[in-house]
Amino acid sequence: MKLELRGITKRFGALVANDHIDLVVEPGEIHCLLGENGAGKSTLMNVLYGLYRAEEGEILLDDEVQHFSGPGDAMRAGIGMVHQHFMLVPVFTVAENVMLGHEETNAIGVLDIAAARAKVREISDRFGFDIDPDAVVEDLPVGVQQRVEIIKALSRDARVLVFDEPTAVLTPQETDELMAIMRQLKESGTSIVFITHKLREVREVADRITVIRLGKVVGEASPSASNAELASMMVGRAVDLTVDKAPANPGADAFVVTDLSVIDALDQYVVKDVSFTVRAGEILAIAGVQGNGQTELTEAILGLQPRVSGSITLDGVELVGRSVRRVLDAGVGFVPEDRTEDGLVAEFTIAENLMLDRSTGEPFVKAGALQLKTLEEFAEAKLEEFDIRAQGISTPAGRLSGGNQQKVVLARELSRDLRLFVASQPTRGLDVGSIEFVHTRVVEARDSGIPVIVVSTELDEVTALADRIAVMYRGGIVGIVPGDTPREVLGLMMAGETTGAAA
Amino acid sequence: MTTTTPAAPIVHETAVVRSWKAPIAYGIFALVGVLFAFVFPATGDTLFELSTEREAIQLAPVAVPTQSAVIVAALLLVGLTGLSAFFVASRRARSPLWLAIVFTVLFLFAFLTWVAADKTIPVPGLLVGSLALSVPLIFGALGGVISERSGVVNIAIEGQLLFGAFSAALVGSITRQPLLGLVAAMVGAVLVSFVLAAFSIKYLVDQVIVGVVLNVLVLGLTSFFYSKVLVPDAATLNNPVKFDVLPIPLLSDIPILGPVLFRQTIIVYLMYIAVFLVWFALFKTRWGLRARAVGEHPQAADTVGISVTSTRFWNVSLAGAIVGVGGAYYTLDVVGQFGKDMTNGAGFIALAAVIFGRWDPIRATLAGLLFGFATNLQSVLGIIGSPVPSDFMLMLPYVVTIFAVAGLVGVSRAPAADGKPYIKS
């Protein structure tokens, strides 16, 4: 089916998320929509799927103008979507999820679960998936859940399939398999819109590429274009994709984790028997697919997890059992993975956010009273030093862009006298310019001679920053390998394979 | 290599965390049993009366020698406690459910035998009264389950019961038709639901706050109309025709349980049907699948073309209609007229039954029966005269509720989007 978008414009208040976007997807083609986070890709697709109503423009399928008032209309017209955050009910079975919304029933509304099972089996056989229709979705690995999303779309006879950042949660191997599925779908005549900001994937699978920047189409590119060309189109200027860093000059073992286990509220081990050491002046990157215990590990280091066993020592001082306050006082700097949730108080000003971790005493508090003058001078200096683009230090942190918010967090955490720096997903959702800035700062922290831990699900970031790489899988460390380990090996380790994990 | 075979040694495993909660709880009750048996022994015989004079099949009362029965029961309780501790200590499993049931039954037997030494326990009366007290709880809990499964916390069960009772009394008195009274009860409770639904779904007001406010509002309104309108003209406005008892042939002649379950009014029979229907509809039909989807992951439901707001709205309304029947039970069956604040917190106990029953209609019904039994036990013991002070006994239903919800349920998982308004971005 041919899909055409003409002059789509979508505004949110004063913000123009999509500005007269035109896009044509021919039948049986994989069309990549490339753009940075916040460029307006997802907004455009939500318009196509009927979740948003566009102010201007029209959607055509096989040259017929469509009027969607909701996702139901879009689906009936043959549009399917694999969402970035899966639209699956976790406690339902695969079959229940697939039939939801277009259930086959008898006269009094009793579900025909057998028909739904058969449908799941039929589609999953067609594409060589091995999926049990009666499995409960939350028990399935993320990669398999994504296949359930694909089955769900195909069961509604989707002939245009939109993949919204589908690889964010996948291992490199699962990504390869997804690419193969996309090609297979294309051969069966399905048109595919593939939204991503990862250049490698685009070049591998796309027939055509449309680049979007700040809500506008900035041009088309051919899949044979180089990474640097695509990146500069996406960002609007030439970008340096590598991180400048001198070889590490590691000192003694400064940070030692021994047999660390964390148990969550559902009595499950989320981190089990993890041991590693980080030397002073070294970056240890913790790689792994989202949800394999990295979050809980960093939270355990900071004292945020209630049920922790094992030992964590920093310069010989035991951290397990200490309160967060006392862990911070031991010299731990921490960049949490969700800056809006855990890193900042959105309603507070930049200045207030900069002193959040030092509200107990001097220099910002004396005899219970805030030292506003000291704080002001400090905040002004940090604004300058960290190049935070804001109207002033009294701007609420919530009004800043993602990159500037992250700079505020970094400024706060790096302005104390640190003995250890932990950064969790430090560049998630940031633009290329901010990523460069954050990476430089992380390397600087290392060069100041303290141990640094970077947790990241992006292999590019891991290989760019790491001196050594620890790969986590299902709560354990599969292996610790040198920083120059090939991506393929890392990819296998992220899927739990121990091959090559010698070091 | 394109397929990955996880070969890592680490698997997501459940940490067997030894929770001593259950053995400790059992221990406390076993200790109480031991106190009954040895420290404050009661002597004589306890008579368990098994049938009333009305029944076709008469069962002779059973006399139990009090002291030896209590001693045997207490020792068994201690044994069960030990068994439960053994289960936990051996890391094999949590304390199993059958143990909880056996323990509860045994403890109740010991307690009743001890309390009624040299007296008679009217077993049929105890059970009939329990069911009578359970009926509003069960209707309330069913409404709560439907509403919460769809994602709206229903604190207003109390208000819906009360308004249902009031409407049934008023309409039933004026029309002299109990069936019309029943319909009025449903309509009245649905009106309360409409307010809850409109504020929480359309205007995104905090559902708990709306619910609490509605309870207070209904209490105030019904009390006002009761004293200003119903009381001055009680003969015509607060004198509804009650439903007749319709014994079911054969079934009602079953010893002990027959008269309890099958010599009832249409409202109780409706309850049996409602429990099954709600369970069936929730888990086997399109309506139920969509209701649960909306309560678990509203956005997922929205993206497959299900309207979250209207699904929630109508399900909350339906929940109100079901709760309303429970309200009618007060004025058209068990009491026979409206009284100020006559539900007296039953709606909150029903809410506890929803949680104790883990948002499942069948389990919630069983929870409702347990709470009803506890409430009735207290009044029966008051009548036969027990050594335990009556004020202390008044706490019994609430102690059971707290013990049940806090001690036995453990971590129960509510519908994921329960209480969260769906804001379409």
Side-chain angles (χ1 to χ4, degrees), chain B residues 133-160:
Chain B
L133 286 164
S134 301
V135 171
L137 298 183
I138 291 171
F139 277 112
L142 289 178
V145 166
I146 291 179
S147 173
E148 303 216 356
R149 281 276 185 176
S150 321
V152 178
V153 171
N154 193 355
I155 302 277
I157 297 174
E158 172 78 1
Q160 291 166 337

PDB file of all heavy atoms in Angstrom, chain B residues 133-160:
ATOM      1  N   LEU B 133     -25.412 -10.854  56.893  1.00  0.00           N
ATOM      2  CA  LEU B 133     -24.476  -9.730  56.992  1.00  0.00           C
ATOM      3  C   LEU B 133     -23.525  -9.688  55.797  1.00  0.00           C
ATOM      4  O   LEU B 133     -22.977  -8.639  55.467  1.00  0.00           O
ATOM      5  CB  LEU B 133     -23.685  -9.833  58.292  1.00  0.00           C
ATOM      6  CG  LEU B 133     -24.511  -9.479  59.529  1.00  0.00           C
ATOM      7  CD1 LEU B 133     -23.832  -9.973  60.783  1.00  0.00           C
ATOM      8  CD2 LEU B 133     -24.760  -7.982  59.589  1.00  0.00           C
ATOM      9  N   SER B 134     -23.326 -10.847  55.168  1.00  0.00           N
ATOM     10  CA  SER B 134     -22.389 -10.894  54.046  1.00  0.00           C
ATOM     11  C   SER B 134     -22.976 -10.336  52.755  1.00  0.00           C
ATOM     12  O   SER B 134     -22.233  -9.865  51.898  1.00  0.00           O
ATOM     13  CB  SER B 134     -21.947 -12.335  53.777  1.00  0.00           C
ATOM     14  OG  SER B 134     -21.336 -12.871  54.913  1.00  0.00           O
ATOM     15  N   VAL B 135     -24.308 -10.439  52.602  1.00  0.00           N
ATOM     16  CA  VAL B 135     -24.902 -10.085  51.306  1.00  0.00           C
ATOM     17  C   VAL B 135     -24.519  -8.675  50.844  1.00  0.00           C
ATOM     18  O   VAL B 135     -24.006  -8.509  49.731  1.00  0.00           O
ATOM     19  CB  VAL B 135     -26.438 -10.277  51.345  1.00  0.00           C
ATOM     20  CG1 VAL B 135     -27.082  -9.714  50.094  1.00  0.00           C
ATOM     21  CG2 VAL B 135     -26.770 -11.747  51.484  1.00  0.00           C
ATOM     22  N   PRO B 136     -24.715  -7.643  51.679  1.00  0.00           N
ATOM     23  CA  PRO B 136     -24.310  -6.310  51.200  1.00  0.00           C
ATOM     24  C   PRO B 136     -22.804  -6.220  50.942  1.00  0.00           C
ATOM     25  O   PRO B 136     -22.369  -5.560  49.992  1.00  0.00           O
ATOM     26  CB  PRO B 136     -24.697  -5.359  52.335  1.00  0.00           C
ATOM     27  CG  PRO B 136     -25.422  -6.144  53.336  1.00  0.00           C
ATOM     28  CD  PRO B 136     -25.314  -7.582  53.013  1.00  0.00           C
ATOM     29  N   LEU B 137     -22.028  -6.926  51.779  1.00  0.00           N
ATOM     30  CA  LEU B 137     -20.577  -6.903  51.573  1.00  0.00           C
ATOM     31  C   LEU B 137     -20.221  -7.492  50.218  1.00  0.00           C
ATOM     32  O   LEU B 137     -19.357  -6.970  49.498  1.00  0.00           O
ATOM     33  CB  LEU B 137     -19.866  -7.715  52.672  1.00  0.00           C
ATOM     34  CG  LEU B 137     -20.016  -7.259  54.114  1.00  0.00           C
ATOM     35  CD1 LEU B 137     -19.185  -8.142  55.035  1.00  0.00           C
ATOM     36  CD2 LEU B 137     -19.577  -5.808  54.245  1.00  0.00           C
ATOM     37  N   ILE B 138     -20.899  -8.577  49.856  1.00  0.00           N
ATOM     38  CA  ILE B 138     -20.551  -9.245  48.604  1.00  0.00           C
ATOM     39  C   ILE B 138     -20.973  -8.406  47.405  1.00  0.00           C
ATOM     40  O   ILE B 138     -20.199  -8.216  46.461  1.00  0.00           O
ATOM     41  CB  ILE B 138     -21.171 -10.658  48.561  1.00  0.00           C
ATOM     42  CG1 ILE B 138     -20.458 -11.539  49.599  1.00  0.00           C
ATOM     43  CG2 ILE B 138     -21.059 -11.263  47.171  1.00  0.00           C
ATOM     44  CD1 ILE B 138     -21.093 -12.879  49.826  1.00  0.00           C
ATOM     45  N   PHE B 139     -22.199  -7.860  47.457  1.00  0.00           N
ATOM     46  CA  PHE B 139     -22.595  -6.967  46.354  1.00  0.00           C
ATOM     47  C   PHE B 139     -21.626  -5.779  46.256  1.00  0.00           C
ATOM     48  O   PHE B 139     -21.200  -5.384  45.182  1.00  0.00           O
ATOM     49  CB  PHE B 139     -24.029  -6.463  46.536  1.00  0.00           C
ATOM     50  CG  PHE B 139     -25.076  -7.431  46.051  1.00  0.00           C
ATOM     51  CD1 PHE B 139     -25.928  -8.063  46.933  1.00  0.00           C
ATOM     52  CD2 PHE B 139     -25.201  -7.693  44.695  1.00  0.00           C
ATOM     53  CE1 PHE B 139     -26.889  -8.957  46.486  1.00  0.00           C
ATOM     54  CE2 PHE B 139     -26.163  -8.586  44.238  1.00  0.00           C
ATOM     55  CZ  PHE B 139     -27.012  -9.223  45.138  1.00  0.00           C
ATOM     56  N   GLY B 140     -21.280  -5.232  47.416  1.00  0.00           N
ATOM     57  CA  GLY B 140     -20.340  -4.108  47.426  1.00  0.00           C
ATOM     58  C   GLY B 140     -19.001  -4.501  46.831  1.00  0.00           C
ATOM     59  O   GLY B 140     -18.417  -3.785  46.022  1.00  0.00           O
ATOM     60  N   ALA B 141     -18.526  -5.689  47.215  1.00  0.00           N
ATOM     61  CA  ALA B 141     -17.227  -6.131  46.737  1.00  0.00           C
ATOM     62  C   ALA B 141     -17.259  -6.388  45.227  1.00  0.00           C
ATOM     63  O   ALA B 141     -16.313  -6.064  44.513  1.00  0.00           O
ATOM     64  CB  ALA B 141     -16.790  -7.391  47.479  1.00  0.00           C
ATOM     65  N   LEU B 142     -18.370  -6.952  44.737  1.00  0.00           N
ATOM     66  CA  LEU B 142     -18.459  -7.196  43.284  1.00  0.00           C
ATOM     67  C   LEU B 142     -18.388  -5.875  42.521  1.00  0.00           C
ATOM     68  O   LEU B 142     -17.689  -5.761  41.513  1.00  0.00           O
ATOM     69  CB  LEU B 142     -19.767  -7.925  42.943  1.00  0.00           C
ATOM     70  CG  LEU B 142     -19.862  -9.383  43.383  1.00  0.00           C
ATOM     71  CD1 LEU B 142     -21.228  -9.946  43.013  1.00  0.00           C
ATOM     72  CD2 LEU B 142     -18.764 -10.212  42.735  1.00  0.00           C
ATOM     73  N   GLY B 143     -19.124  -4.881  43.036  1.00  0.00           N
ATOM     74  CA  GLY B 143     -19.055  -3.561  42.394  1.00  0.00           C
ATOM     75  C   GLY B 143     -17.646  -3.008  42.456  1.00  0.00           C
ATOM     76  O   GLY B 143     -17.136  -2.460  41.472  1.00  0.00           O
ATOM     77  N   GLY B 144     -17.006  -3.201  43.609  1.00  0.00           N
ATOM     78  CA  GLY B 144     -15.637  -2.717  43.751  1.00  0.00           C
ATOM     79  C   GLY B 144     -14.696  -3.396  42.776  1.00  0.00           C
ATOM     80  O   GLY B 144     -13.842  -2.759  42.159  1.00  0.00           O
ATOM     81  N   VAL B 145     -14.869  -4.710  42.603  1.00  0.00           N
ATOM     82  CA  VAL B 145     -13.986  -5.449  41.694  1.00  0.00           C
ATOM     83  C   VAL B 145     -14.135  -4.912  40.267  1.00  0.00           C
ATOM     84  O   VAL B 145     -13.142  -4.633  39.592  1.00  0.00           O
ATOM     85  CB  VAL B 145     -14.303  -6.967  41.747  1.00  0.00           C
ATOM     86  CG1 VAL B 145     -13.638  -7.681  40.581  1.00  0.00           C
ATOM     87  CG2 VAL B 145     -13.838  -7.557  43.063  1.00  0.00           C
ATOM     88  N   ILE B 146     -15.375  -4.750  39.814  1.00  0.00           N
ATOM     89  CA  ILE B 146     -15.585  -4.280  38.442  1.00  0.00           C
ATOM     90  C   ILE B 146     -14.975  -2.897  38.250  1.00  0.00           C
ATOM     91  O   ILE B 146     -14.251  -2.633  37.288  1.00  0.00           O
ATOM     92  CB  ILE B 146     -17.094  -4.240  38.109  1.00  0.00           C
ATOM     93  CG1 ILE B 146     -17.621  -5.655  38.039  1.00  0.00           C
ATOM     94  CG2 ILE B 146     -17.349  -3.505  36.802  1.00  0.00           C
ATOM     95  CD1 ILE B 146     -19.088  -5.735  37.740  1.00  0.00           C
ATOM     96  N   SER B 147     -15.252  -2.028  39.207  1.00  0.00           N
ATOM     97  CA  SER B 147     -14.782  -0.661  39.084  1.00  0.00           C
ATOM     98  C   SER B 147     -13.251  -0.603  39.094  1.00  0.00           C
ATOM     99  O   SER B 147     -12.633   0.058  38.259  1.00  0.00           O
ATOM    100  CB  SER B 147     -15.379   0.160  40.220  1.00  0.00           C
ATOM    101  OG  SER B 147     -14.849   1.435  40.237  1.00  0.00           O
ATOM    102  N   GLU B 148     -12.634  -1.315  40.028  1.00  0.00           N
ATOM    103  CA  GLU B 148     -11.184  -1.227  40.153  1.00  0.00           C
ATOM    104  C   GLU B 148     -10.477  -1.971  39.034  1.00  0.00           C
ATOM    105  O   GLU B 148      -9.404  -1.578  38.599  1.00  0.00           O
ATOM    106  CB  GLU B 148     -10.732  -1.751  41.520  1.00  0.00           C
ATOM    107  CG  GLU B 148     -11.412  -0.982  42.640  1.00  0.00           C
ATOM    108  CD  GLU B 148     -10.523  -0.765  43.861  1.00  0.00           C
ATOM    109  OE1 GLU B 148      -9.400  -1.267  43.885  1.00  0.00           O
ATOM    110  OE2 GLU B 148     -10.986  -0.071  44.770  1.00  0.00           O
ATOM    111  N   ARG B 149     -11.068  -3.052  38.558  1.00  0.00           N
ATOM    112  CA  ARG B 149     -10.495  -3.736  37.405  1.00  0.00           C
ATOM    113  C   ARG B 149     -10.474  -2.816  36.194  1.00  0.00           C
ATOM    114  O   ARG B 149      -9.646  -2.952  35.308  1.00  0.00           O
ATOM    115  CB  ARG B 149     -11.308  -4.992  37.072  1.00  0.00           C
ATOM    116  CG  ARG B 149     -10.992  -6.157  37.976  1.00  0.00           C
ATOM    117  CD  ARG B 149      -9.770  -6.892  37.469  1.00  0.00           C
ATOM    118  NE  ARG B 149      -9.516  -8.093  38.271  1.00  0.00           N
ATOM    119  CZ  ARG B 149      -8.544  -8.963  37.999  1.00  0.00           C
ATOM    120  NH1 ARG B 149      -7.757  -8.770  36.965  1.00  0.00           N
ATOM    121  NH2 ARG B 149      -8.354 -10.016  38.757  1.00  0.00           N
ATOM    122  N   SER B 150     -11.428  -1.884  36.126  1.00  0.00           N
ATOM    123  CA  SER B 150     -11.453  -0.942  35.012  1.00  0.00           C
ATOM    124  C   SER B 150     -10.593   0.280  35.287  1.00  0.00           C
ATOM    125  O   SER B 150     -10.522   1.178  34.453  1.00  0.00           O
ATOM    126  CB  SER B 150     -12.874  -0.463  34.716  1.00  0.00           C
ATOM    127  OG  SER B 150     -13.784  -1.497  34.839  1.00  0.00           O
ATOM    128  N   GLY B 151     -10.006   0.348  36.468  1.00  0.00           N
ATOM    129  CA  GLY B 151      -9.059   1.424  36.728  1.00  0.00           C
ATOM    130  C   GLY B 151      -9.591   2.585  37.550  1.00  0.00           C
ATOM    131  O   GLY B 151      -8.968   3.623  37.613  1.00  0.00           O
ATOM    132  N   VAL B 152     -10.757   2.420  38.169  1.00  0.00           N
ATOM    133  CA  VAL B 152     -11.266   3.499  39.005  1.00  0.00           C
ATOM    134  C   VAL B 152     -11.428   2.972  40.432  1.00  0.00           C
ATOM    135  O   VAL B 152     -12.185   2.029  40.678  1.00  0.00           O
ATOM    136  CB  VAL B 152     -12.626   4.031  38.499  1.00  0.00           C
ATOM    137  CG1 VAL B 152     -13.146   5.122  39.417  1.00  0.00           C
ATOM    138  CG2 VAL B 152     -12.487   4.546  37.083  1.00  0.00           C
ATOM    139  N   VAL B 153     -10.704   3.558  41.363  1.00  0.00           N
ATOM    140  CA  VAL B 153     -10.824   3.157  42.760  1.00  0.00           C
ATOM    141  C   VAL B 153     -12.194   3.576  43.271  1.00  0.00           C
ATOM    142  O   VAL B 153     -12.593   4.723  43.117  1.00  0.00           O
ATOM    143  CB  VAL B 153      -9.727   3.824  43.615  1.00  0.00           C
ATOM    144  CG1 VAL B 153      -9.979   3.579  45.092  1.00  0.00           C
ATOM    145  CG2 VAL B 153      -8.368   3.279  43.235  1.00  0.00           C
ATOM    146  N   ASN B 154     -12.914   2.615  43.830  1.00  0.00           N
ATOM    147  CA  ASN B 154     -14.273   2.920  44.259  1.00  0.00           C
ATOM    148  C   ASN B 154     -14.352   2.949  45.780  1.00  0.00           C
ATOM    149  O   ASN B 154     -14.675   1.963  46.428  1.00  0.00           O
ATOM    150  CB  ASN B 154     -15.232   1.877  43.682  1.00  0.00           C
ATOM    151  CG  ASN B 154     -16.666   2.302  43.828  1.00  0.00           C
ATOM    152  OD1 ASN B 154     -16.940   3.341  44.447  1.00  0.00           O
ATOM    153  ND2 ASN B 154     -17.583   1.543  43.277  1.00  0.00           N
ATOM    154  N   ILE B 155     -14.053   4.125  46.339  1.00  0.00           N
ATOM    155  CA  ILE B 155     -14.183   4.293  47.791  1.00  0.00           C
ATOM    156  C   ILE B 155     -15.644   4.528  48.133  1.00  0.00           C
ATOM    157  O   ILE B 155     -16.057   4.428  49.268  1.00  0.00           O
ATOM    158  CB  ILE B 155     -13.334   5.506  48.270  1.00  0.00           C
ATOM    159  CG1 ILE B 155     -11.873   5.318  47.907  1.00  0.00           C
ATOM    160  CG2 ILE B 155     -13.476   5.760  49.754  1.00  0.00           C
ATOM    161  CD1 ILE B 155     -11.078   4.485  48.850  1.00  0.00           C
ATOM    162  N   ALA B 156     -16.439   4.869  47.113  1.00  0.00           N
ATOM    163  CA  ALA B 156     -17.814   5.303  47.352  1.00  0.00           C
ATOM    164  C   ALA B 156     -18.787   4.147  47.527  1.00  0.00           C
ATOM    165  O   ALA B 156     -19.999   4.359  47.528  1.00  0.00           O
ATOM    166  CB  ALA B 156     -18.280   6.217  46.216  1.00  0.00           C
ATOM    167  N   ILE B 157     -18.291   2.910  47.702  1.00  0.00           N
ATOM    168  CA  ILE B 157     -19.196   1.772  47.882  1.00  0.00           C
ATOM    169  C   ILE B 157     -20.166   2.036  49.030  1.00  0.00           C
ATOM    170  O   ILE B 157     -21.364   1.792  48.930  1.00  0.00           O
ATOM    171  CB  ILE B 157     -18.396   0.477  48.172  1.00  0.00           C
ATOM    172  CG1 ILE B 157     -17.511   0.127  46.980  1.00  0.00           C
ATOM    173  CG2 ILE B 157     -19.327  -0.678  48.480  1.00  0.00           C
ATOM    174  CD1 ILE B 157     -16.579  -1.047  47.234  1.00  0.00           C
ATOM    175  N   GLU B 158     -19.617   2.562  50.131  1.00  0.00           N
ATOM    176  CA  GLU B 158     -20.442   2.869  51.302  1.00  0.00           C
ATOM    177  C   GLU B 158     -21.600   3.790  50.918  1.00  0.00           C
ATOM    178  O   GLU B 158     -22.755   3.541  51.256  1.00  0.00           O
ATOM    179  CB  GLU B 158     -19.545   3.522  52.366  1.00  0.00           C
ATOM    180  CG  GLU B 158     -20.271   4.067  53.576  1.00  0.00           C
ATOM    181  CD  GLU B 158     -20.653   2.974  54.555  1.00  0.00           C
ATOM    182  OE1 GLU B 158     -20.333   1.809  54.285  1.00  0.00           O
ATOM    183  OE2 GLU B 158     -21.298   3.299  55.551  1.00  0.00           O
ATOM    184  N   GLY B 159     -21.282   4.855  50.191  1.00  0.00           N
ATOM    185  CA  GLY B 159     -22.309   5.802  49.778  1.00  0.00           C
ATOM    186  C   GLY B 159     -23.320   5.160  48.841  1.00  0.00           C
ATOM    187  O   GLY B 159     -24.525   5.429  48.921  1.00  0.00           O
ATOM    188  N   GLN B 160     -22.835   4.290  47.969  1.00  0.00           N
ATOM    189  CA  GLN B 160     -23.739   3.632  47.023  1.00  0.00           C
ATOM    190  C   GLN B 160     -24.686   2.684  47.759  1.00  0.00           C
ATOM    191  O   GLN B 160     -25.882   2.631  47.450  1.00  0.00           O
ATOM    192  CB  GLN B 160     -22.925   2.875  45.966  1.00  0.00           C
ATOM    193  CG  GLN B 160     -22.179   3.821  45.033  1.00  0.00           C
ATOM    194  CD  GLN B 160     -21.124   3.109  44.207  1.00  0.00           C
ATOM    195  OE1 GLN B 160     -20.635   2.051  44.566  1.00  0.00           O
ATOM    196  NE2 GLN B 160     -20.765   3.713  43.087  1.00  0.00           N
TER     197      GLN B 160
END
